[in-house]
Amino acid sequence: MTFTQASPPALRRRFRFDFGHNTQTMATIPLTQRGAEKLREELARLKSVERHAVIRAISDARAQGDLSENAEYEAAKDKQGFIEGRILEIESKLAAAQVIDPAAIDAGGRVVFGSTVDLEDEDTGAAVTYQIVGDDEADLKQGLVSISSPIARALIGKTPGDVAEVQAPGGVKSYEIIGVRYL
C-alpha cells in the first residue's frame, strides 16, 4: 500500500506517517565516555536485577489475595512503572547520545564540552576545578558541572586569562580561567 499526501488523514494517523508536516528531529545528547558507561551500567542493572525483583514482589503480593486493599501490590506496581519508565528514558538517551572523548578534543585551549577548567574566584581567590559534562553526569561534589548549568554556559568558548561572569543565587560571581585541560 502506498501512502501519499492525498491519503485520508485517519489512515496517515493510523500508520503514523508524516509527509513533511510538524516534523521534529531528535536532539543529540552530549555525554562523556564515562557518562555513557554509567548509563549503560544502570540500564543493565534495571533490566537484569530491578525488573526481576519487582516482578517477584508483584507475584508475592498477588498471592496474598484481595488486590483492592493490598498496599504491597500497589507499591510494587508503582515501582514497576518507575523502573520501566527509567529504562525507556535511558534507552532513548543512549540512542540520541553523542559520546565525546575529552582526550581526543583539540579546541585550541578553549573551554568546550568535556574540558576540565581550572578557575580562580576573583572575589575570594579560591581555586576550583570543574569538568563540563552532560546533564546526567553532573555531580558538583566531584567537580562535574552540567553543560546546561549557568557556570558552564558562562565558560564555554573562553580561553585561559578570560574572566567569566556567572549569575549565581547570591549575585554575580566572576571567575578567571587559569587553565583548560582535555582529560
Side-chain angles (χ1 to χ4, degrees):
M1 178 180 264
T2 304
F3 295 96
T4 66
Q5 181 68 30
S7 297
L11 190 58
R12 290 196 315 262
R13 277 193 304 275
R14 180 173 174 209
F15 290 98
R16 297 178 189 221
F17 287 100
D18 190 345
F19 297 97
H21 301 293
N22 300 322
T23 57
Q24 295 179 349
T25 57
M26 187 185 316
T28 59
I29 298 171
L31 289 173
T32 64
Q33 289 179 330
R34 180 181 60 238
E37 187 55 36
K38 282 177 65 178
L39 283 177
R40 285 187 202 101
E41 288 170 3
E42 181 182 357
L43 181 61
R45 180 183 50 78
L46 287 170
K47 285 183 166 183
S48 65
V49 177
E50 300 291 330
R51 183 185 266 170
H52 296 295
V54 78
I55 289 170
R56 277 193 304 278
I58 290 170
S59 178
D60 291 346
R62 277 190 178 151
Q64 294 177 8
D66 185 14
L67 297 180
S68 65
E69 295 181 17
N70 190 333
E72 291 169 3
Y73 177 77
E74 290 299 321
K77 289 296 284 182
D78 287 346
K79 186 172 183 179
Q80 181 183 38
F82 174 78
I83 290 169
E84 294 303 324
R86 183 66 180 150
I87 287 171
L88 290 173
E89 180 184 7
I90 293 171
E91 286 176 338
S92 89
K93 284 180 180 182
L94 288 173
Q98 178 182 3
V99 180
I100 298 169
D101 179 9
I105 296 172
D106 181 21
R110 287 181 300 113
V111 178
V112 294
F113 178 86
S115 60
T116 301
V117 187
D118 300 313
L119 305 168
E120 181 178 306
D121 186 323
E122 289 200 321
D123 295 333
T124 65
V128 292
T129 300
Y130 295 124
Q131 181 181 15
I132 300 173
V133 296
D135 293 334
D136 289 307
E137 306 172 71
D139 184 351
L140 196 54
K141 292 178 183 173
Q142 294 183 14
L144 304 173
V145 296
S146 166
I147 184 72
S148 59
S149 69
I151 191 158
R153 289 194 313 256
L155 293 171
I156 295 292
K158 302 259 191 297
T159 58
D162 289 348
V163 174
E165 291 187 352
V166 180
Q167 181 64 45
V172 177
K173 298 204 49 112
S174 296
Y175 294 97
E176 180 180 351
I177 300 170
I178 304 301
V180 178
R181 297 173 280 144
Y182 311 103
L183 308 172

